[in-house]
Amino acid sequence: MTPRLLQFPAERIAQSNPGRLGPNAGAPPTSLNPYSTEPLFQPLTLRSVTFKNRIGVAPMCQYSAVDGFANAWHFAHAAQYAIHGVGLFLVEATGVLPNGRISPNCLGLYSQGHADALKPLTEFIKSQGCVPGIQLAHAGLKASTLSPFKKTGNAVLASLEVGGWIDNVVGPTAGKLSPELADARALSITEIKEIVEAFANAAKYALDAGFSVVEVHGAHGYLIHSFLSPFSNKRTDEYGGSFENRARLAVEVCQAVRKVWPDNLPLFFRTSATDWAEDGQIGFTPEDAVRLAVLLKNTAGVDVVNCSSGGLFTPKDPSVLFQEGYNVSFSKRIRKESGISTAVAGMITRANHANGIISEGSADLVLLAREFLRNPNWVFDAAKELGAEIEWPVQYRRGKPRD
């Protein structure tokens, strides 16, 4: 049964455009520059969509849905960032099929009811001058797991008794990605085609729900990434073996989504630019990531590659994942060698660092995740640190600090 929808008609709210450069009428006077040239606060236009700044919220699983439906928590999570000035908000990895969710508590987008539940969220985000986006995903080999705050002991899998589907976990090849995960079965060609269609259907629902950006999740060991990597893809048919075959699912999904997604709206693809393979291991490489970006740009109408890394196994030196901006070099290379726009996430916490990523041409957008959880005011703080005056919500302007 579809849950009762939130009723917050945004047109009745006094609106503003927090996070946009400009004189902040009605707020305390400051010496900050309303015409700042700091790259982080310059607008970016992709197709017909203009992002007021280069700052976005990376997709973060909230593990708070029931039967895939968004609820008040998802609204509140998104609204706080729209209020506080981000240019782009990307909704968490959202399953295109019930068994494509990471956990029983992850969002889904495979019915009209799921789209309707997301409409209050997109309406409010837009009312604050922020662009709403959604990441469409299939968890593949890593599906039917417990949400982090529902795990007990060493248990990882969500059993049938708690709403899981450990009997219906799928991947490119039969078997387990790791000992603690479900024993997956290999997808048939027919099932692959059905998943491609499910991504396209989810994109239609995303449009109906009011989103302006769709991102196809091709990273972090989930289904599309598991096809891309020779580490996890041992198929011998047209979806395995050569790079072109392993990339086939990613290309077909993006082509199917682009076909139903309006020409005036941007399409993103999230990639793991490396598997961090070492010491003779095989995996997806930065060179593969560049080739994939070119392929998606030229054959599937992808506008932005969102650069991340890993997800299939842990690097030999895990400390690399805690180094500041550890994915920036991948983003810079993909952007330079493929000519596609890029976004990047991964240990980006400082305003000067984020500004430098944009000014040096390493990415077109920077996405923060955990840092936003620690500090939802990050955009306001970054503007002050960089000397840029940006708008605050009209409802909050009396709280804006004076110099």
Side-chain angles (χ1 to χ4, degrees):
M1 183 175 67
T2 303
R4 182 173 61 87
L5 301 181
L6 297 168
Q7 298 298 323
F8 298 135
E11 68 272 11
R12 299 182 187 176
I13 300 171
Q15 297 180 13
S16 57
N17 200 344
R20 182 181 63 179
L21 284 169
N24 196 354
T30 75
S31 61
L32 302 179
N33 183 3
Y35 308 106
S36 172
T37 58
E38 295 296 343
L40 193 61
F41 287 97
Q42 298 307 305
L44 171 69
T45 298
L46 298 168
R47 298 194 184 236
S48 69
V49 176
T50 297
F51 305 83
K52 62 190 170 190
N53 57 44
R54 306 303 185 92
I55 306 162
V57 180
M60 289 183 280
C61 291
Q62 297 300 293
Y63 304 105
S64 296
V66 177
D67 296 326
F69 290 98
N71 55 43
W73 177 264
H74 300 93
F75 181 94
H77 173 64
Q80 67 176 326
Y81 299 115
I83 288 170
H84 287 95
V86 301
L88 168 66
F89 179 86
L90 283 168
V91 171
E92 66 186 73
T94 301
V96 299
L97 290 168
N99 74 328
R101 294 171 294 159
I102 300 168
S103 81
N105 302 110
C106 287
L107 287 177
L109 192 51
Y110 37 84
S111 77
Q112 185 60 51
H114 290 103
D116 291 342
L118 287 162
K119 288 178 179 178
L121 184 150
T122 60
E123 183 184 6
F124 184 82
I125 290 173
K126 288 177 177 178
S127 79
Q128 301 302 300
C130 179
V131 175
I134 188 168
Q135 186 182 75
L136 303 181
H138 192 298
L141 297 166
K142 300 173 81 171
S144 193
T145 58
L146 291 167
S147 62
F149 41 83
K150 290 193 174 182
K151 292 178 181 178
T152 56
N154 295 322
V156 171
L157 289 175
S159 66
L160 301 178
E161 290 73 22
V162 297
W165 49 94
I166 54 175
D167 59 342
N168 194 24
V169 172
V170 298
T173 310
K176 296 185 177 187
L177 182 60
S178 59
E180 68 274 13
L181 293 176
D183 197 1
R185 60 180 177 80
L187 286 163
S188 68
I189 298 293
T190 298
E191 288 174 315
I192 291 172
K193 302 301 183 184
E194 290 171 349
I195 287 172
V196 172
E197 184 179 4
F199 271 94
N201 288 337
K204 293 178 188 177
Y205 285 130
L207 182 65
D208 181 73
F211 289 98
S212 302
V213 170
V214 153
E215 176 172 276
V216 172
H217 198 349
H220 300 163
Y222 299 120
L223 187 69
I224 293 175
H225 180 199
S226 70
F227 269 80
L228 286 166
S229 176
F231 176 79
S232 47
N233 185 349
K234 308 298 182 184
R235 298 178 75 100
T236 57
D237 60 11
E238 62 264 44
Y239 287 93
S242 69
F243 168 82
E244 290 76 13
N245 284 355
R246 288 183 282 110
R248 193 179 305 277
L249 177 60
V251 172
E252 289 181 350
V253 165
C254 291
Q255 288 175 336
V257 169
R258 182 78 270 177
K259 187 175 181 179
V260 302
W261 192 242
D263 286 341
N264 65 321
L265 298 180
L267 172 61
F268 288 28
F269 182 87
R270 193 163 209 192
T271 190
S272 279
T274 180
D275 282 342
W276 299 107
E278 300 174 282
D279 297 337
Q281 293 173 315
I282 59 170
F284 195 73
T285 67
E287 291 75 22
D288 291 334
V290 172
R291 292 177 68 188
L292 180 63
V294 172
L295 196 58
L296 294 176
K297 176 188 175 186
N298 293 340
T299 70
V302 170
D303 301 290
V304 174
V305 170
N306 181 1
C307 301
S308 189
S309 61
L312 287 171
F313 50 82
T314 304
K316 184 178 180 181
D317 178 11
S319 69
V320 68
L321 304 179
F322 298 95
Q323 295 174 10
E324 184 177 58
Y326 64 90
N327 291 318
V328 172
S329 63
F330 304 129
S331 174
K332 184 174 185 178
R333 178 176 179 180
I334 289 170
R335 188 174 186 269
K336 179 180 179 181
E337 296 184 19
S338 72
I340 201 167
S341 297
T342 61
V344 67
M347 292 298 290
I348 299 170
T349 62
R350 296 185 300 108
N352 278 309
H353 180 221
N355 198 44
I357 290 169
I358 303 300
S359 67
E360 294 164 7
S362 295
D364 299 275
L365 290 161
V366 292
L367 306 180
L368 283 66
R370 288 175 176 85
E371 185 62 20
F372 267 135
L373 297 181
R374 291 185 284 265
N375 180 16
N377 293 321
W378 192 92
V379 176
F380 294 167
D381 293 346
K384 186 173 183 181
E385 183 176 338
L386 296 172
E389 183 172 1
I390 61 172
E391 292 189 30
W392 280 41
V394 292
Q395 297 89 341
Y396 284 10
R397 285 179 184 173
R398 64 187 180 273
K400 185 176 181 182
R402 298 176 185 271
D403 286 348

